[in-house]
Amino acid sequence: MSTGLFTKEAISDLLPELRGRVTYNAPLKNRSWFRVGGNAEILINPADTEDLAYILKTMPLEWPYFTIGATSNLLIRDGGLQGISFQLRKGFHEIIPDREGLVAGAACLDMTIAEYAAQLGLTGMEFLSGIPGSIGGAVKMNAGAHGSDIATIMDWAEILTRNGDLFRLSSSDLKLSYRHSVLPPDGIVTRVRLRGKPCNKDTIHKTMDEIKAQRENSQPIHSRTGGSTFRNPSPNISSYKAWELIDMVKGRGLIMGGAKVSEKHCNFLINTGEATAGDLENLGEELRKRVFNDFGIELEWEIKRIGIPYAQRENKYVG
């Protein structure tokens, strides 16, 4: 899979001051919630924001790169990722109380932030306890659940641009809307400021317990799965939610290779144990085809699919 550009010598020569961890031909399968996917040609865990800015400023503009978070909303294709892949970990986990709110690093899990806010006695962030993944990804897709979303609670997000400059942007700057934001091209969220309101801690924990129970009862959270597969159609297109459309085209329980549509919630795809990323993506496309053929509605992927497909029969990568 190597492009020939990203050798140890090339990285060391170009980025002598890099302080983070570099892994070559890094397996991503075990990092993925779906437990599928190929390797990353180069995986870099930057030490902190300054380290990431240094890398972005220094590496050639033509070098491709991806940023992967907790991978709860990613389907990494079987051919893996070419170029540089960033995964923010240590150095992006800090949470700092900030008046009636908090500032959280992009790698902080949504659940962790909800629990931290509860300990501070701040309400408004309980919905994060029902969203898998990290807050950086949540900002990028304006994640939401249980009647709230990131746009409702976010004051600003700090974002590194492709040339390594750091900007602080508001919800309106990012044009947050349903499962959508407008980040600067190739921008990477590094931290975010969220606001809450003082509230009794017991009340907050009760709400979070209710969210947990509802999620347990309605989603296949103990399976190898990700977040919701498809966005709900906008109300002016359909009054049906994505799962209802899938159910009506007999998608519930549908199997393709090692991939299966959850019978518990049919807007979730499951790796039954031996699925490839290709199985999961092809199953999703089959659902999209059925819904379009029956209803004329194009379901939009909410899960982001990245990387190179792998044509196993021909034993080669295809783009």
Side-chain angles (χ1 to χ4, degrees), residues 268-289:
F268 284 76
L269 301 182
I270 293 172
N271 174 2
T272 62
E274 299 299 328
T276 64
D279 290 340
L280 291 159
E281 187 166 11
N282 290 338
L283 180 56
E285 286 299 320
E286 172 64 21
L287 297 175
R288 293 182 73 241
K289 183 176 75 173

Side-chain angles (χ1 to χ4, degrees), residues 297-312:
I297 296 170
E298 289 197 29
L299 289 179
E300 294 182 36
W301 283 88
E302 184 167 319
I303 287 175
K304 186 175 181 182
R305 297 153 296 145
I306 61 173
I308 306 167
Y310 187 74
Q312 293 179 335

Side-chain angles (χ1 to χ4, degrees), residues 198-266:
C199 183
N200 180 274
K201 293 182 183 181
D202 290 339
T203 301
I204 297 172
H205 283 294
K206 181 181 178 182
T207 300
M208 289 172 60
D209 288 342
E210 291 170 352
I211 290 172
K212 180 181 178 180
Q214 182 178 340
R215 189 164 174 251
E216 287 263 2
N217 292 332
S218 64
Q219 299 178 13
I221 62 174
H222 299 295
S223 301
R224 295 177 179 181
T225 186
S228 296
T229 306
F230 302 108
R231 298 184 177 103
N232 289 323
S234 63
N236 63 322
I237 292 177
S238 173
S239 60
Y240 293 112
K241 293 185 176 180
W243 75 264
E244 293 174 308
L245 292 166
I246 293 168
D247 210 14
M248 287 188 287
V249 297
K250 297 181 171 55
R252 187 182 297 270
L254 188 65
I255 295 173
M256 186 172 290
K260 181 179 180 179
V261 179
S262 170
E263 292 176 293
K264 195 170 192 178
H265 191 315
C266 51

Side-chain angles (χ1 to χ4, degrees), residues 173-202:
D173 292 330
L174 295 176
K175 296 180 172 58
L176 297 184
S177 58
Y178 177 68
R179 304 299 179 264
H180 180 73
S181 69
V182 181
L183 289 177
D186 296 321
I188 300 174
V189 178
T190 59
R191 64 177 190 158
V192 58
R193 204 275 181 183
L194 306 175
R195 62 182 177 274
K197 295 180 180 179
C199 183
N200 180 274
K201 293 182 183 181
D202 290 339

